[in-house]
């Protein structure tokens, strides 16, 4: 009898961890797209999905300017999360264009746009990011490929400040990535959306002390948030292809737009110098 009980206990000890390991880690549905990532694949120039692009003239984009959408060509992998990216003050969408195929090739439908005016404020850029997402899921030629419940905003400088504004206005967004963001508003208690702030150590336009670092600190401590600082980076680092920016942004979007926990090792505890390359500071609540 005692011997049988001991055998059962031994069998259970073997089986229970297996059951636990195969159960989903959370109740939230996962929308994993593509193969399991590696330290090399998140940094590579392209992800696993072939992509193509379509251009939208200004006349076709209510609430924002001329735009470009880049998306995975496959029609058999399900829908994809949508990401809108705003350029910075006086800049055109060309300054953030490198991010389109880079992110889309990992399984996102990505839209960049010219702002209504090159001088639009962060708040106006936030409204245009939301208008771009609305257009993407409602009337764009690729609307059937986008999952309207899984949307994110990104932006550079005033566009990054705009991404924070967009999340403040629309709490249903899944993720924010703010690239060397600029804003006169320094307080973000309204933003509960998981937010990655990427600052640049040598930024003199949006110095990290008064912008990126301060925005990170001002986000609720209960929120999923991370601050990554580009070692020796300048304000315009996000305008050129960067494996550091791409790998961290892709991991953040995968984790929070797709619910893909396979990317957690790249975010938490985060780069101890090796995952993302040249990073001078990385902080995260790591509540994920
Ligand atoms: O690149 C940017 O959006 C910088 C913001 C800026 O220079 O603001 C000055 C008014
Ligand atoms: Zn505020």
């Amino acid at each position: 009898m005692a011997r049988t009980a001991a055998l059962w206990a031994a069998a259970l000890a073997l089986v229970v961890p297996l059951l636990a390991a195969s159960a989903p880690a959370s109740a939230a549905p996962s929308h994993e797209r593509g193969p399991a990532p590696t330290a090399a694949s998140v940094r590579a120039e392209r992800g696993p999905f072939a992509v193509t692009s379509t251009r939208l003239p200004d006349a076709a984009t209510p609430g924002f300017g001329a735009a470009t959408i880049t998306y995975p060509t496959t029609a058999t992998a399900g829908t994809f999360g949508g990401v809108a990216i705003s350029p910075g003050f006086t800049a055109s969408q060309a300054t953030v264009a490198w991010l389109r195929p880079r992110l889309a090739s990992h399984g996102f439908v990505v839209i960049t746009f010219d702002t209504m005016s090159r001088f639009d404020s962060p708040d106006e850029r936030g409204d245009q990011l939301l208008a771009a997402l609305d257009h993407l899921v409602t009337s764009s030629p690729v609307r059937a490929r986008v999952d309207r419940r899984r949307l994110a905003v990104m932006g550079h400088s005033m566009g990054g400040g705009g991404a924070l504004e967009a999340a403040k206005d629309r709490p249903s967004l899944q993720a924010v990535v703010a690239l060397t963001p600029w804003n006169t508003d320094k307080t973000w208690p309204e933003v509960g959306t998981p937010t990655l702030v990427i600052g640049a150590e040598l930024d003199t336009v949006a110095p990290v002390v008064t912008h990126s670092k301060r925005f990170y600190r001002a986000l609720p401590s209960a929120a999923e948030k991370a601050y990554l600082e580009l070692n020796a980076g300048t304000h315009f680092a996000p305008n050129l292809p960067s494996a550091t920016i791409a790998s961290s942004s892709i991991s953040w979007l995968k984790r929070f737009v797709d619910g893909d926990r396979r990317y957690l090792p790249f975010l938490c505890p985060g780069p101890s110098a090796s995952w993302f390359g040249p990073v001078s500071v990385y902080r995260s609540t790591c509540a994920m």
Side-chain angles (χ1 to χ4, degrees):
M1 188 68 191
R3 189 188 159 114
T4 312
L7 276 172
W8 271 111
L12 273 174
L14 267 171
V15 166
V16 167
L18 290 174
L19 288 174
S22 62
S26 83
S30 167
H31 300 271
E32 294 177 2
R33 299 288 182 272
T38 65
S41 73
V42 293
R43 295 180 61 85
E45 279 190 35
R46 288 294 176 268
F49 292 97
V51 301
T52 191
S53 298
T54 185
R55 296 163 61 87
L56 305 177
D58 192 9
T61 57
F64 55 108
T68 313
I69 302 171
T70 301
Y71 58 98
T73 53
T74 176
T76 60
T79 54
F80 295 101
V83 184
I85 310 176
S86 169
F89 193 59
T90 74
S92 78
Q93 59 169 321
T95 59
V96 290
W98 71 273
L99 283 160
R100 252 186 303 100
R102 191 100 174 209
L103 303 182
S105 63
H106 285 271
F108 297 101
V109 177
V110 185
I111 182 168
T112 62
F113 56 88
D114 290 336
T115 44
M116 304 282 273
S117 152
R118 301 248 176 141
F119 305 101
D120 286 340
S121 68
D123 189 39
E124 291 165 322
R125 286 165 202 267
D127 293 344
Q128 293 173 52
L129 281 162
L130 296 177
L133 288 177
D134 289 342
H135 185 78
L136 192 66
V137 302
T138 306
S139 7
S140 81
V142 298
R143 61 189 179 277
R145 294 173 183 269
V146 190
D147 183 345
R148 60 164 58 238
R149 294 159 305 173
R150 300 189 294 109
L151 303 173
V153 287
M154 291 180 66
H156 173 231
S157 195
M158 279 199 195
L164 289 163
E165 300 280 355
K168 180 170 158 179
D169 290 352
R170 189 178 290 180
S172 63
L173 292 175
Q174 304 295 296
V176 175
V177 180
L179 307 170
T180 60
W182 187 98
N183 206 317
T184 54
D185 186 350
K186 311 297 182 185
T187 62
W188 304 100
E190 315 89 345
V191 176
T193 303
T195 299
L196 168 63
V197 180
I198 298 185
E201 188 182 21
L202 305 182
D203 193 333
T204 54
V205 179
V208 294
V209 170
T210 45
H211 294 77
S212 288
K213 265 183 160 165
R214 192 147 160 198
F215 299 161
Y216 173 77
R217 227 182 25 244
L219 289 160
S221 49
E224 303 278 10
K225 58 176 181 173
Y227 171 65
L228 185 155
E229 189 176 279
L230 302 166
N231 185 35
T234 67
H235 184 64
F236 298 100
N239 295 148
L240 291 172
S242 154
T244 306
I245 293 170
S247 58
S248 55
S249 300
I250 288 162
S251 297
W252 197 258
L253 296 170
K254 284 287 193 177
R255 169 64 190 91
F256 294 109
V257 176
D258 289 1
D260 192 337
R261 304 185 70 87
R262 297 176 300 176
Y263 287 79
L264 268 179
F266 307 110
L267 297 171
C268 191
S272 49
S274 62
W275 290 117
F276 297 137
V279 173
S280 45
V281 180
Y282 186 78
R283 287 185 195 136
S284 170
T285 47
C286 278
M288 51 198 117

